[in-house]
Every structure is written in C-alpha cells, then in structure tokens.
Amino acid sequence: MTDMPEALKALDPVTLEVIRNALPAISDEMSVDLQRTSYNMMIYEVRDYCTALLDPDGKLISQNIGGVSHFVADLGIVVSSGVERFGKNGFVPGDVILHNHQATAGQHLNNMVLYTPVFHKGELVAFAVVRAHWVDVGGQSTGFGGGSAYDPWSEGLQFDHVKIYEADVPDEKMLRFIRDNIRFPDSSMGDMRSQLAACRLGERRFDELLGRYGNDIVQRAIVALYAEAETKARAAVEAIPDGVYEAEATLDSRAGEAPYDIKVKVTVSGSDMEIDLSGCSPQRDRGNNARTYAGAFIAYKALTGPNEPLNEGAFAALKVTIPEGNMMMARFPAFMAGWSWALPTVVDVIWRCFAKALPDRIPAAHSGSLGAAFSFSGINPKNGKRFVAMSIESGGWGGRPGEDGQDVSMSVCQGDVRNSPIETIELKTPLMVLERSLRTDSGGAGEHRGGLGIQTHARALVAGTWNSASASGGRVTCPPWGLWGGKPGRTAETLIKAPGEQEFRVSTSGGFTSGPGSEVIYRTAGGGGWGDPHRRSAEQVLSDVRQGFITVQTARDDYGVVITNDAIDAQATAALRNENTSRETAE
C-alpha cells in the first residue's frame, strides 16, 4: 500500500481537495462534450461510453461519473498495450489512436477506443481516453456485436492501435478506408470526431491543471488519491470475516450447446481479497467468450465503496485470478461478440459468495443481462437514407435486505446507461413503439419482491433488419435466483412476428430481415426474490396486485394471499398460509 504521509508531504489540504475534484471534473467535462456532439443514440441517449484520464503506465487517474462500469477494467490494458507497441517515445502531440482489437480489448468490436497522448512541457504525462459504442464497424456489427458471426473478422473491422492522426495530420487514406467499409459512415465518423473532441478537451484541461500547480504537485496528489482509495477499500474488506467463500451458477449458451459453469472462489485475508474465476468454463470457438477483469472489478467496487471516487487505487488491494483459455480470459481469435453475456452473472455469483457472511448486504440475483439489445436498421424509402434505431431494454434487480428490488433498471455493469426514449426512436426512424411497460409477474416472490423486467413492443413501418432479436434481456434457461427462501425471477424471452403472421413466436436466432409490418416484443427478466414470500404482508401483496406488478393468481400461489373483489380475504389467506407453512415444514 502506498505510504500516505509521504505522498502528502508537499501538499496542503486545500490544494489536495482542489486536485481531488478537478481530476474527475475533467473526465465529466469530456463526457458532456461527447454526449452533446455525438451522432448515434447509443451515445447521446443510451450513454454507452466512458471518458477517462490514464497515466502513461495505464493507471486510471479518473473516469466520468456514471461511465459504463464494465469499460473500466479494460482501459488500462489498452493504453499499456499501445505504449508497448509504440514506446513512450513513440507518441507526439497531435497523435490519435483507434483500438478495438479483441486480442487486447476483449469486447465486441462496436466498443471503439479512441485515445490521445497528453503532453506538458514536452513530457508525456497522461492519455485522454474515450470508449464509445459505434453503430457499425462493418461485417455483421450493425447495432451490436454480430451474434451470427463466426469469428472476429466476420464480426467487423479490427483496429489494433491504428494512428489515424500523426502530429495533428490526419491519415486520409485510413479514414477513407474506414468510411468505405461501414454502413453508417456519417454516424460512426461523426462519433469518432466527437471522441476526438472530448480527448482534446481532456488534454487541455489536464495541461491547464499542471500549469497551475506544477507537474510534481499534481503527481503527488494523484499518488495520494490512489493511496486514499486503497485505504478505504482495505477498510471495507477488513470488515468481512476472513475465509474462503465459494458459489456457482450456470449460464445460458448458444442453442444446442451445454450451459456454461460460472464458479467463483473468493479468499479474504485481513484487508486482502482474491477473486478466483478459474472454475468458469473453458472458452468455446463460437461461445460467450470475453477477455476482461470487469466482473471482478465491479463486484469488488460495489462491496468496498460504490460511491467512492474511481481511480487505480480502488483496485490496488484486489487480486484477480483468471487463467488464459478461460471463458472470461479467452485467447484471440476466440469469438467475442457475446462478451457481455456472462458479466452480470459473474458479478451476482461473486456477491452470492458472501450471502451468509454478509446477510444484511447481499441481494438476490438481478436480470443477468446488460439489457435486451434493441436494434432495427434499413433504408428509409422517404429519403433514401440508411437508418438504425437502437436501445437497451433493462430488467429487474434482485430483492434485497429491507427493500424490494428495483424495477426496470440497468445492470450493475452499466453505469448510467439507459434506454432510448420512445420519442427519439419514432422521430428519427420509421418505427412505432406500441408498448413499453412493466412486465407483470416477472419479479421473483419474496418478503422483498424481485424487481420487474420490461415489455417493449415495436413495429417496423418499412422493410429492414432486426439485428438483435434474441432473448438478450436476461437469463433464459437459468433464472435469476432468490435468496433466503425468495423465489427466482422470470426469465427473458423475445417474440417476433413477420408481416402476415397472426401469432407471435419465440425468436430462436439473433435477427431477421422482413418487410413492413414486422413486430418484436422484448421481455426482459426480473430479479430474484429475497426472503420467505409468506413474510410479505398481505397489504403489500394487495398493493402489488392493484399496481399491476403481480396477478391475483401469483398472489395466491406464491404469497398465499387470497384476493377477492379487490380485497383481501383474511380468513382464506390465514388458512392458505398455514397450510403452505405446514407443507413446507413437512418437506
């Protein structure tokens, strides 16, 4: 652990506080710049991005508030890889580098990193970095990672630390090459310029900070802030009883394949924690592979200080073990378009390890997805222009000690990501959103009910392709589990109907192309329940029925509450609950 007094020797408290707030303010200003100037709704509406400052060794100095959580763990490795490629002397002011290569980034190719070196008085002092979701990178990447692709090359274009500007001079051939190989060049190239503008702003603001206080003082402050974050994280870990904690779950796989095993072992010793994912399934050629520490980082941050500032020190006391060839540390060229599928379950299972040790803190499982990937694209016959509508439809969080799970909320892996407003979708694309509502009965029953998923029903007004029409809104065959007698949440499903068809059918593929009038219904998973459902008051159950959260039948079957004519039948409820309790005791 860094020696805090040494780091603070040349710092007065006022200066430290100014720098403490100035660093994340730089990242936040970069975020505002990006969001206001971007071209696609995954950035300006959904906020699927992060903006950050990293030091020349790839250590995280600051990230924007609300930045996508699962991007954090993979920024440092990108910068470190770039420094290894070019050397610290291989960058000059005005360089701009693109990177999305799965050998390093380990994500679907739409998540594009653009970074620039920050110089102060001729010295490389940092990198300004933006990772943002492009609408298309060629191949089968339109909207989201190409689920039906068979390798990284079929998914889309890969950029392995490509300098698109050198010393402020654009590489026009490379920029033209990118435009010529993507379906939505105006959007993606516009987003690239927005990323660049945000990075340039970050460069200026950090240089101004160094100019005001001097490089030595700012670097001392950064070291002090790292040490402070580490100290707070260690204090939180010390409050957890020492021991080895284990938990596991299964995870849906591609059709016809065996489920994945998510096995976690967490070792707590004093203020040290090791999260070991060695027991997870091996990588598969076309499976849900990733290459990331994000699941472990997110779970650890939530346990040790979710509201504390985010910098490299927040993870200094954590050891993460994931062997090469594991599904969470897949070797390139393993298929990684489905990289995000396992992350929420990994986080849930890590927390599940502590269910007995921290019963007053650990929730039941949440929906188990980064959200249903809503994406429809085509050519608008009115103006002849290509369009793409995109959103992420969220699910329910698990019931928790003392409180119901949050309804329709993004995964803990998502930061401040949200769905696209209906008004934006309908105004900018030829789609009609017929319904976006809470999904009744999707939350698991419990003393504290699991949060509800969402039901979103959309109709295409023109011919086009539903690029993402799979059940990506949560677990499908492995329900979000309950805790302490709580019941599992309802699993996800996606229904489709082609023009002329009378009935909806369950989608079994990643997407389909159809004429005008096709419809899709996304039903996301709910969270698991917490605690015995019979301990939930009959009045709360009646309120849930009245608000449409659960049906009268669920009130009877899961909670033992009999409701007749919008009122509780107290005598029948007491008898049913006694009967259920006696049966459970006998079992």
Side-chain angles (χ1 to χ4, degrees), residues 73-74 77 101-107 283 289-294 322-332 336 339:
D74 303 314
I77 190 65
H101 202 279
Q102 292 173 341
T104 305
Q107 304 185 6
Q283 70 182 64
N289 305 306
R291 188 175 180 84
T292 179
Y293 291 109
I322 315 177
E324 286 281 334
N326 185 289
M327 63 179 291
M328 301 306 299
M329 193 55 63
R331 294 187 185 92
F332 182 80
M336 297 187 195
W339 75 283

Side-chain angles (χ1 to χ4, degrees), residues 111 135 145 225 228 270 292 451 470 563:
N111 291 343
V135 71
L225 296 175
E228 183 181 277
T292 179
S470 61
I563 297 174

Side-chain angles (χ1 to χ4, degrees), residues 27 68 92 118 133 135 157 160 195 245 254 306 312 334 348 370 495 506 547:
S27 298
V68 174
V92 298
V118 183
H133 187 132
V135 71
L157 295 174
D160 191 4
Q195 289 176 274
Y245 302 94
R254 287 172 174 250
E312 195 71 22
D348 274 343
L370 299 189
L495 307 178
V506 176
Q547 294 183 80

Side-chain angles (χ1 to χ4, degrees), residues 6-312:
E6 280 296 319
L8 287 169
K9 272 185 178 179
L11 290 173
D12 65 86
V14 173
T15 299
L16 179 61
E17 284 305 305
V18 172
I19 296 173
R20 179 199 308 280
N21 289 279
L23 293 172
I26 294 172
S27 298
D28 289 339
E29 191 176 0
M30 291 170 63
S31 168
V32 172
D33 200 15
L34 175 74
Q35 188 179 13
R36 292 184 62 184
T37 61
S38 59
Y39 280 58
N40 93 74
M41 61 182 70
M42 283 298 291
I43 300 177
Y44 64 74
E45 292 287 9
V46 177
R47 293 174 59 97
D48 192 8
Y49 65 83
C50 72
T51 55
L53 291 174
L54 285 85
D55 72 16
D57 295 319
K59 294 180 179 178
L60 182 67
I61 297 173
S62 68
Q63 184 189 342
N64 66 302
I65 294 174
V68 174
S69 314
H70 58 258
F71 286 171
V72 176
D74 303 314
L75 290 179
I77 190 65
V78 169
V79 168
S80 298
S81 174
V83 171
E84 183 179 355
R85 168 72 59 83
F86 299 111
K88 289 184 179 179
N89 295 325
F91 298 96
V92 298
D95 283 355
V96 181
I97 302 96
L98 275 184
H99 185 85
N100 68 344
H101 202 279
Q102 292 173 341
T104 305
Q107 304 185 6
H108 71 85
L109 298 178
N110 299 73
N111 291 343
M112 184 68 70
V113 178
L114 185 147
Y115 65 99
T116 64
V118 183
F119 285 84
H120 178 70
K121 297 181 178 180
E123 179 186 357
L124 177 65
V125 292
F127 287 93
V129 185
V130 176
R131 170 175 261 139
H133 187 132
W134 283 19
V135 71
D136 190 274
V137 286
Q140 298 184 24
S141 70
T142 298
F144 298 87
S148 57
Y150 49 85
D151 61 20
W153 296 275
S154 63
E155 183 186 343
L157 295 174
Q158 299 179 81
F159 299 90
D160 191 4
H161 301 292
V162 175
K163 287 191 177 184
I164 56 173
Y165 283 68
E166 295 192 58
D168 269 333
V169 177
D171 185 334
E172 296 293 353
K173 290 181 179 178
M174 176 55 66
L175 295 176
R176 181 57 184 264
F177 172 81
I178 298 172
R179 288 190 62 91
D180 288 347
N181 283 278
I182 55 180
R183 299 171 186 83
F184 301 90
D186 291 341
S187 174
S188 293
M189 301 303 281
D191 291 337
M192 184 194 73
R193 292 191 297 273
S194 295
Q195 289 176 274
L196 175 54
C199 285
R200 291 287 188 242
L201 176 63
E203 292 177 40
R204 294 197 304 274
R205 294 291 184 260
F206 194 60
D207 182 61
E208 290 167 3
L209 187 67
L210 297 178
R212 180 178 181 183
Y213 293 102
N215 188 30
D216 181 64
I217 294 295
V218 173
Q219 295 303 331
R220 283 178 177 269
I222 291 171
V223 171
L225 296 175
Y226 286 172
E228 183 181 277
E230 180 182 349
T231 298
K232 290 181 177 180
R234 285 187 178 278
V237 174
E238 283 182 335
I240 302 173
D242 285 359
V244 177
Y245 302 94
E246 298 185 64
E248 61 183 77
T250 54
L251 180 70
D252 311 308
S253 65
R254 287 172 174 250
E257 295 184 352
Y260 292 92
D261 294 318
I262 305 295
K263 295 183 179 181
V264 177
K265 181 171 73 173
V266 182
T267 302
V268 176
S269 178
S271 65
D272 294 313
M273 180 183 292
E274 178 184 2
I275 297 176
D276 188 347
L277 300 181
S278 301
C280 294
S281 292
Q283 70 182 64
R284 299 178 186 175
D285 289 343
R286 298 187 66 248
N288 297 323
N289 305 306
R291 188 175 180 84
T292 179
Y293 291 109
F297 276 39
I298 292 165
Y300 179 82
K301 188 71 171 71
L303 287 166
T304 58
N307 297 319
E308 295 294 331
L310 185 61
N311 59 46
E312 195 71 22

Side-chain angles (χ1 to χ4, degrees), residues 534 538 560-562 568-581:
H534 289 87
V561 176
V562 180
I568 299 168
D569 186 328
Q571 184 174 356
T573 294
L576 180 57
R577 285 190 159 183
N578 286 334
E579 178 187 336
N580 290 343
T581 300

Side-chain angles (χ1 to χ4, degrees), residues 13 21 109 201 225 331 354 371 392 417-418 461 499 519 551 569:
N21 289 279
L109 298 178
L201 176 63
L225 296 175
R331 294 187 185 92
F354 295 107
I392 297 177
V417 165
R418 56 202 182 193
L461 303 180
E519 298 181 30
T551 59
D569 186 328

